[in-house]
Amino acid sequence: DQQVKQNSPSLSVQEGRISILNCDYTNSMFDYFLWYKKYPAEGPTFLISISSIKDKNEDGRFTVFLNKSAKHLSLHIVPSQPGDSAVYFCATQSEAGGTSYGKLTFGQGTILTVHP
Amino acid sequence: DAMVIQNPRYQVTQFGKPVTLSCSQTLNHNVMYWYQQKSSQAPKLLFHYYDKDFNNEADTPDNFQSRRPNTSFCFLDIRSPGLGDAAMYLCATSRDRWNQETQYFGPGTRLLVL
């Protein structure tokens, strides 16, 4: 029972265009959502996050959108650059407290390739 | 630079032969996590330490153990590795374990079981 799903294993985009990565979740208790980026031979690094009280968060070229009713999360990268080529993981957390201490539940990842 | 270090980066072991993976951190974070990531799957939390307090995930097999002798170091012990334990093992840290605390990951150790 996979609670966080990234249904596109890979995405290929031309440099300068928009990259849209999608993520769906099933557990309505999740209230904090994150994107991590992973280059080969490196660990995942935090990219951007959004709380459930918001529907959009922006950081430079990166914007995360949250649709709580649809339990859907997306990451937009505009404009895409070759250096953005990496694996992108979405992750969720449930409200901390008790046994729910902020555990990260990850999706399987989407490989983004940005062509020059 | 403050960081999370994992050694070795690649580990080959034999079926049933105990193996230990190492993680160290210079961030002075209270929490250390171990995740398992099998090929093309999501990283999955095995357990975490909050300071010296060990917290096991309910579905983590007994074959997996962990030790945290001090703030900086955390070890993952696999007592009797099976072929199904071949995976990337990721160590992560966070300052605290509340929601919205960023987790910082090491580069991982890829384990091969022969």
Side-chain angles (χ1 to χ4, degrees):
Chain A
D1 61 335
Q2 200 170 339
Q3 297 190 73
V4 181
K5 288 185 180 178
Q6 293 177 252
N7 290 316
S8 298
S10 63
L11 175 68
S12 184
V13 170
Q14 205 69 31
E15 181 179 7
R17 308 294 288 266
I18 185 171
S19 296
I20 300 175
L21 298 102
N22 293 301
C23 179
D24 297 297
Y25 63 95
T26 57
N27 189 340
S28 58
M29 294 298 293
F30 292 140
D31 66 351
Y32 190 64
F33 305 88
L34 310 90
W35 285 93
Y36 275 78
K37 176 179 178 179
K38 184 184 183 304
Y39 291 118
E42 295 182 12
T45 56
F46 170 74
L47 183 59
I48 192 169
S49 61
I50 188 168
S51 168
S52 60
I53 62 172
K54 295 184 176 181
D55 55 15
K56 176 182 173 181
N57 187 30
E58 208 169 335
D59 183 3
R61 297 186 296 113
F62 302 90
T63 303
V64 56
F65 295 91
L66 176 62
N67 182 334
K68 283 188 66 180
S69 61
K71 295 190 178 71
H72 180 80
L73 183 69
S74 64
L75 174 69
H76 293 208
I77 307 173
V78 180
S80 301
Q81 299 174 353
D84 296 328
S85 298
V87 180
Y88 289 79
F89 291 97
C90 71
T92 63
Q93 286 180 321
S94 58
E95 189 173 314
T99 58
S100 297
Y101 50 82
K103 168 185 173 179
L104 281 176
T105 301
F106 284 92
Q108 316 96 297
T110 297
I111 301 170
L112 173 66
T113 304
V114 180
H115 298 282
Chain B
D1 282 343
M3 54 199 305
V4 181
I5 302 158
Q6 290 189 247
N7 285 307
R9 297 292 305 276
Y10 298 91
Q11 177 74 57
V12 181
T13 191
Q14 292 179 334
F15 182 94
K17 184 174 180 182
V19 65
T20 294
L21 308 182
S22 168
C23 177
S24 64
Q25 54 127 342
T26 60
L27 296 157
N28 203 32
H29 282 172
N30 285 321
V31 193
M32 295 187 78
Y33 307 82
W34 280 103
Y35 289 84
Q36 179 193 61
Q37 185 186 13
K38 296 185 178 179
S39 181
S40 301
Q41 295 185 22
K44 180 176 175 296
L45 183 66
L46 295 173
F47 27 59
H48 79 276
Y49 269 97
Y50 179 62
D51 195 12
K52 297 178 182 178
D53 181 30
F54 177 71
N55 297 269
N56 203 25
E57 292 298 300
D59 56 356
T60 298
D62 292 340
N63 198 25
F64 291 86
Q65 304 286 322
S66 186
R67 295 170 284 134
R68 189 178 186 186
N70 54 52
T71 301
S72 301
F73 284 87
C74 194
F75 300 100
L76 170 61
D77 300 309
I78 308 176
R79 294 193 295 189
S80 181
L83 298 178
D85 297 327
M88 175 72 81
Y89 289 89
L90 295 164
C91 174
T93 74
S94 64
R95 184 180 52 182
D96 210 323
R97 62 179 180 179
W98 302 118
N99 221 8
Q100 306 190 20
E101 286 283 350
T102 300
Q103 290 186 23
Y104 297 84
F105 284 82
T109 294
R110 184 167 294 282
L111 178 69
L112 181 62
V113 182
L114 301 177

